[in-house]
Amino acid sequence: MSIPRINGLRSIELAVHDLKASAEFYRKVWALEDVAGEGDTLHLRGTGRDHHVLTLRERPRAALLGVHLSAPDRATVDALHAQAAALGAKVVHAPKELEKSAGAGYGFRVSSPEGHPIAISADVADHAQAIDDRSRPTKLTHVVINSAEVEKQTAFFLDVLGFKWSDSTVMMDFVRCCTDHHSVAIARGNGPCLNHMAYEMPNIDGLMSGAGRVRGSGYEMMWGVGRHGPGNNVFSYFIEPNGFVTEYTAEVEQVDESYVSHDAQWWLETKLFPCRWKMAGAPSELARKAMSGDLVEEENLRCEQVMARALAR
Ligand SMILES: [Fe+2]
């Protein structure tokens, strides 16, 4: 049998302080749509056919709870699980039937060596119809995680999950599992936490319309608009209510087996990064802080202090 491989990025799962306030942002500002919800959990879809692209769960501390990846079928889920166990990865639970409200399916959970939570599934329900609205996100297209041990995390994605290396810069390693240049990137920083998540817009006009909606709702663009070096994608970054960084992106490079990967030195010499247009420049101090995960931690601390004051009364 050939090496079992992940074949796509499905969704991201986040713990948030206030489910109602977070849901309002992702519905009205980010333009996702409710699919299912019960108790402290809500699943939201984009305009594509994926069952959902975001899961919000109300918790005392905001955090990354899962990067959800797809496998082509149940046999591949089993094979990936066996491969993960054989290579010494920390399996959280073995393959099992998954919750109905999340589209059901069959999957398992595993931690990266540093503790990033990864969920793998097949047979998850999808929607019969896509929604035609270019100003709204179609799908989750990449997730960037922060890591203090980038080489170990990259090796995990390549060796355990069957990703392929696309490129590296001084900031991060880019790995792919489908025709998108990258579905995951591992950034140099303090892990394990979320650097940012990126939602695909159908084209640049849609990205600008969507970004205009976000700005008009009172959320300033944190970085962009620009066009990245590796991946060639147009980018615009924002900070959502919990301090997570979320991106609208478009036109990510489509690649196949013939793609020629380059290392950080090559990308430095091309001067094509971080912005090919020389428009966005390097990320600001605020952008770097937000992407490091520090804003999420500051917001967690603020919430803990508010709760402690309330309990002391
Ligand atoms: Fe990105």
Side-chain angles (χ1 to χ4, degrees), residues 142 144 196 198 228 237 247:
H142 65 260
V144 178
H196 72 271
H228 279 309
Y237 292 88
E247 175 187 1

PDB file of all heavy atoms in Angstrom, residues 142 144 196 198 228 237 247, ligand 1:
ATOM      1  N   HIS A 142      -5.920  27.868   4.684  1.00  0.00           N
ATOM      2  CA  HIS A 142      -4.709  27.470   5.410  1.00  0.00           C
ATOM      3  C   HIS A 142      -4.766  27.878   6.870  1.00  0.00           C
ATOM      4  O   HIS A 142      -5.528  28.772   7.248  1.00  0.00           O
ATOM      5  CB  HIS A 142      -3.419  27.965   4.731  1.00  0.00           C
ATOM      6  CG  HIS A 142      -3.214  29.450   4.685  1.00  0.00           C
ATOM      7  ND1 HIS A 142      -3.468  30.228   3.587  1.00  0.00           N
ATOM      8  CD2 HIS A 142      -2.747  30.318   5.621  1.00  0.00           C
ATOM      9  CE1 HIS A 142      -3.169  31.480   3.825  1.00  0.00           C
ATOM     10  NE2 HIS A 142      -2.735  31.573   5.060  1.00  0.00           N
ATOM     11  N   VAL A 144      -1.917  28.571  10.056  1.00  0.00           N
ATOM     12  CA  VAL A 144      -0.502  28.692  10.437  1.00  0.00           C
ATOM     13  C   VAL A 144      -0.403  28.524  11.949  1.00  0.00           C
ATOM     14  O   VAL A 144      -1.123  29.191  12.702  1.00  0.00           O
ATOM     15  CB  VAL A 144       0.084  30.049   9.989  1.00  0.00           C
ATOM     16  CG1 VAL A 144       1.546  30.172  10.429  1.00  0.00           C
ATOM     17  CG2 VAL A 144      -0.020  30.189   8.471  1.00  0.00           C
ATOM     18  N   HIS A 196      -2.345  32.178  12.693  1.00  0.00           N
ATOM     19  CA  HIS A 196      -3.561  32.706  12.059  1.00  0.00           C
ATOM     20  C   HIS A 196      -4.244  31.633  11.239  1.00  0.00           C
ATOM     21  O   HIS A 196      -3.686  30.572  10.979  1.00  0.00           O
ATOM     22  CB  HIS A 196      -3.255  33.933  11.209  1.00  0.00           C
ATOM     23  CG  HIS A 196      -2.505  33.664   9.933  1.00  0.00           C
ATOM     24  ND1 HIS A 196      -1.133  33.642   9.845  1.00  0.00           N
ATOM     25  CD2 HIS A 196      -2.954  33.404   8.674  1.00  0.00           C
ATOM     26  CE1 HIS A 196      -0.769  33.393   8.603  1.00  0.00           C
ATOM     27  NE2 HIS A 196      -1.849  33.230   7.865  1.00  0.00           N
ATOM     28  N   ALA A 198      -6.768  31.259   7.598  1.00  0.00           N
ATOM     29  CA  ALA A 198      -7.049  32.008   6.374  1.00  0.00           C
ATOM     30  C   ALA A 198      -8.227  31.400   5.632  1.00  0.00           C
ATOM     31  O   ALA A 198      -8.282  30.183   5.419  1.00  0.00           O
ATOM     32  CB  ALA A 198      -5.824  32.014   5.475  1.00  0.00           C
ATOM     33  N   HIS A 228       1.589  37.677  -1.078  1.00  0.00           N
ATOM     34  CA  HIS A 228       2.706  36.958  -0.460  1.00  0.00           C
ATOM     35  C   HIS A 228       3.706  36.430  -1.494  1.00  0.00           C
ATOM     36  O   HIS A 228       3.358  36.258  -2.667  1.00  0.00           O
ATOM     37  CB  HIS A 228       2.181  35.758   0.341  1.00  0.00           C
ATOM     38  CG  HIS A 228       1.670  36.131   1.707  1.00  0.00           C
ATOM     39  ND1 HIS A 228       2.391  36.878   2.608  1.00  0.00           N
ATOM     40  CD2 HIS A 228       0.487  35.844   2.324  1.00  0.00           C
ATOM     41  CE1 HIS A 228       1.686  37.030   3.720  1.00  0.00           C
ATOM     42  NE2 HIS A 228       0.519  36.427   3.571  1.00  0.00           N
ATOM     43  N   TYR A 237      -5.284  40.799   6.636  1.00  0.00           N
ATOM     44  CA  TYR A 237      -5.372  40.198   7.977  1.00  0.00           C
ATOM     45  C   TYR A 237      -6.133  41.105   8.944  1.00  0.00           C
ATOM     46  O   TYR A 237      -5.959  42.325   8.921  1.00  0.00           O
ATOM     47  CB  TYR A 237      -3.970  39.976   8.555  1.00  0.00           C
ATOM     48  CG  TYR A 237      -3.144  38.920   7.853  1.00  0.00           C
ATOM     49  CD1 TYR A 237      -2.350  39.243   6.759  1.00  0.00           C
ATOM     50  CD2 TYR A 237      -3.149  37.603   8.289  1.00  0.00           C
ATOM     51  CE1 TYR A 237      -1.583  38.283   6.124  1.00  0.00           C
ATOM     52  CE2 TYR A 237      -2.376  36.643   7.664  1.00  0.00           C
ATOM     53  CZ  TYR A 237      -1.596  36.983   6.579  1.00  0.00           C
ATOM     54  OH  TYR A 237      -0.836  36.031   5.955  1.00  0.00           O
ATOM     55  N   GLU A 247      -7.698  35.794   8.328  1.00  0.00           N
ATOM     56  CA  GLU A 247      -7.268  36.351   7.035  1.00  0.00           C
ATOM     57  C   GLU A 247      -8.293  36.045   5.952  1.00  0.00           C
ATOM     58  O   GLU A 247      -8.852  34.949   5.915  1.00  0.00           O
ATOM     59  CB  GLU A 247      -5.914  35.697   6.666  1.00  0.00           C
ATOM     60  CG  GLU A 247      -5.385  36.067   5.295  1.00  0.00           C
ATOM     61  CD  GLU A 247      -4.139  35.263   4.894  1.00  0.00           C
ATOM     62  OE1 GLU A 247      -3.683  34.392   5.678  1.00  0.00           O
ATOM     63  OE2 GLU A 247      -3.629  35.512   3.787  1.00  0.00           O
TER      64      GLU A 247
HETATM   65 FE    FE B   1      -1.889  33.411   5.730  1.00  0.00          FE
END
